[in-house]
Amino acid sequence: MKSVTEISGVPKEDLSSIPASAHPTAEGPAEVAANIKYHAQYTPHFSPLKFEPEQAFYATADSVRDSLIQRWNETYLHFHRENPKQTYYLSMEYLQGRALTNAIGNLGITDAYAAALNKLGHDLENIVEQEPDAALGNGGLGRLASCFLDSMATLNLPAWGYGLRYRYGLFKQSITEKGQQESAENWLEKFSPWEIVRHDVVYPVRFYGKVEVCASGVHKWVDGEQLQALAYDVPIPGYGTNNTISLRLWEAKAPAEDFNLNEFNDGQYENAAHLHSKAQQICAVLYPGDAKEEGKLLRLKQQFFLCSASLQDIIARFKERRVENEPIAWNEFPSKVAVQMNDTHPTLSIPELMRILMDDECLGWDEAWTVTTRTIAYTNHTVLPEALEKWSVALLTKLLPRHMEIIAEINKRFLEMIHSSHPDMENKFNNMCILDDSNPQKPVVRMANLCVVSSHTVNGVAMLHSNILKDELFRDYVSLWPEKFQNKTNGITPRRWLRFCNPELSAIITKWLKTDQWVTNLDLLRGLRQFSDNSELQSEWASAKMANKIRLAQYIFQVTGVKVNPNSLFDIQIKRIHEYKRQLLNILGAIYRYKRLKEMSAEERKKVVPRTIMIGGKAFATYTQAKRIVKLVNDVGAVVNNDPAIGDLLKVVFIPNYNVSVAEILIPGSELSQHISTAGMEASGTSNMKFALNGCLIIGTLDGANVEIREEIGKDNFFLFGAEAHDVPKLRKEREQGLFVPDPRFEEAKNFVKSRAFGDYDYTPLLDSLEGNSGYGRGDYFLVGYDFPSYMEAQSRVDNAYKDTKKWMKMSILSTAGSGKFSSDRTISEYAKAIWKIQECRVP
Ligand SMILES: *Cc1c(COP(=O)(O)O)cnc(C)c1O
């Protein structure tokens, strides 16, 4: 960060002259330094004598936390007094990344902290890097939830997030000769300075047991095993506002009385703490492997744990905020509470809310159903059949017997409604029913169908995706309830993804727009368009990019030992490794490029644009094919990067352990990024938005939000290739019929791998996935072969455009200028208005 390096020239004061005194609302550097020192001494986590970067980080974070807590308390009190309608965002994942830069940036105290740390003999940039990433999520869906929280706080909306406090986040990835290795991500190894344990917020959560029917006809879920949900609150500050909202994360614990002291004294240590160890399993890891039945059970427990604890909490707050002594008016619940389910993972909120209303609060079915369906809304994130959640009726009956009863009743009543009101649709019932017993041995509950039937609003996450939902996946429901379906194109927070991760470019934007209002009104970026040809802006733009490329090159050297040339074209694809995202298309393209380069004369090579291709991402531990792709990228890199004949003309680098902090270094230094999924398969994508916002050009298919990005930044500024979504089924069919003729360049690339040019590892199963018409190879289901020639042609257009620096700079400026729409502030305003019906509630 520039501000930091500038300050580091200031002579350091004698450390002992800085008092250790508490200043919870410190603003100036002297008070901030005193407050940091106070925390190092009086809330120490280490020997108070130590003040190395790590200790300095924790003391700094504790000091920032003081400011956060004050605002967070004020916000809570204000919401409590005003009692507005409030949104609760339920998500099994939050990909928060680091919090320090974001917190001081949003509070507007970055310069004070940089100066204070300088007085204390430290450098803010270095202190920031001490913080482990909070990776309580996998990828886009979790990062979206985190961007949304930032926007909710910034827009002063009465809204909270709920999630689980996983002990270990998404695994840490390292690369060896064997390929990807996973190890536990111990983000809580020391502790997290950002969470507040709420010993006053504890709810019981039941599993197993049975259903009793009382004389009154009321059902009661009894017995089984009871754990407790304990709240940890993470304050989320808005940018330039006092509003600081909560991300409430639940941790499972066993009630103290469940510790059997007699057994323990008898030496039966494991039995004594049986329930304690069961409780620990629930929040141990994000996505436990679910190949086995035990793993499935644990995952279902996690989902219910989130839903049950959150709903009890929401209801408790609803009761607390009502006018004293007035009876509870449940019909007012939906005008005080909006629940948003981030994908189907929190679907059990539906039967849990029904159960609480009917069994605990004694509402009748119809009344409970009205309340539930007016409260809950559902966001769909995928149309991939294998990603649509299904839970076995047997498992649900065992773990959640009352909820299974309620789900069956919802299904029955839905069937009856179709039968009586829409008899013409009875033939659609197989498609629409919630309980799928097409395999009578193993009936399942289709969670997406339960969500559609029970929510007042269903939304997709980009225009193309929402249209596919309406025209295909949920087509039959649309004819029943056309007004239920909406689109909410995803967005990203411009604070983390431009203002803080790219201060160089931010300063240039502020200078040319003569305002920094774009940070909260991203549409203002449009104002850059008029300067896109201006050579002064272009040269400033180019030097910011170069500074970020140099920083990135240093990072790459540090984590991989590969030296890359900052003058080469930096080409990046970072995202979860998945066949539909087609990292395989990228690497086969790189292989073909390498082969061509090797065959060229020295004269021909002089005309080549040097390229550094970077690929990063984690492959799910049990996803073998994805792990082979990781291995191939690394094997190709090992050969290409050490080929003296090629030198800087081509480098292929695998960036290990991709996460939010890594993205924050890579994206500002990128010039070209790849968003090349098979059309129709990526619901939205959000990294495409992050790249475009940072002036990076996109090579991509007409998929997800790419479609809208291309519209916004202009067709000429987007390297388009590939089949369109509506052609995909036809192309797959042609393939099945053996009508597909592969391009010779595609065959050449594959054969080069087969020739063992990249080592002895057996890539047959990976390459076979691109062959055949069906069966094992699935006949190249993801259309890598079909799209290969048009991909290579788009890559040639990239090289040609890059040769013309002025043209490239103009395209880059226009990318940033056209990214205004993709602010999560815009997305969240749309949710607030059209789905949640909530209004701003600003803390004075
Ligand atoms: C933005 C982001 C994603 C989502 O990337 P896509 O390319 O849209 O799939 C995944 N992981 C991290 C760490 C991110 O920051």
Side-chain angles (χ1 to χ4, degrees), residues 316-327:
R317 194 165 308 109
F318 171 69
K319 290 182 175 175
E320 221 175 85
R321 285 186 186 172
R322 112 201 100 106
V323 184
E324 231 176 304
N325 299 326
E326 274 195 9

Side-chain angles (χ1 to χ4, degrees), residues 30 209 291 294 381 396 438 547 561 568 571 577 596 664 689 762 773 789 817:
E294 288 85 351
H381 283 271
L396 275 164
S438 51
S568 60
D571 166 353
I577 309 290
R596 271 290 87 81
E664 287 168 7
M689 302 168 183
D762 183 12
N773 298 320

Side-chain angles (χ1 to χ4, degrees), residues 95 133 137-144 147 170 490 492 496-497 573-576 580-581 583 658-664 667 674-675 682 684-691:
L95 210 53
D133 265 47
N138 277 286
L141 175 146
R143 185 53 232 174
L144 183 77
C147 282
L170 183 61
N490 281 167
I492 54 167
R496 182 177 295 265
W497 296 114
Q573 186 181 22
I574 38 173
K575 44 186 83 238
R576 301 274 309 179
Y580 87 80
K581 291 179 183 274
Q583 284 90 357
Y658 175 53
N659 62 20
V660 172
S661 298
V662 174
E664 287 168 7
I667 292 168
Q674 306 211 22
H675 306 277
E682 186 77 271
S684 160
T686 48
S687 81
N688 42 5
M689 302 168 183
K690 300 168 194 165
F691 282 105

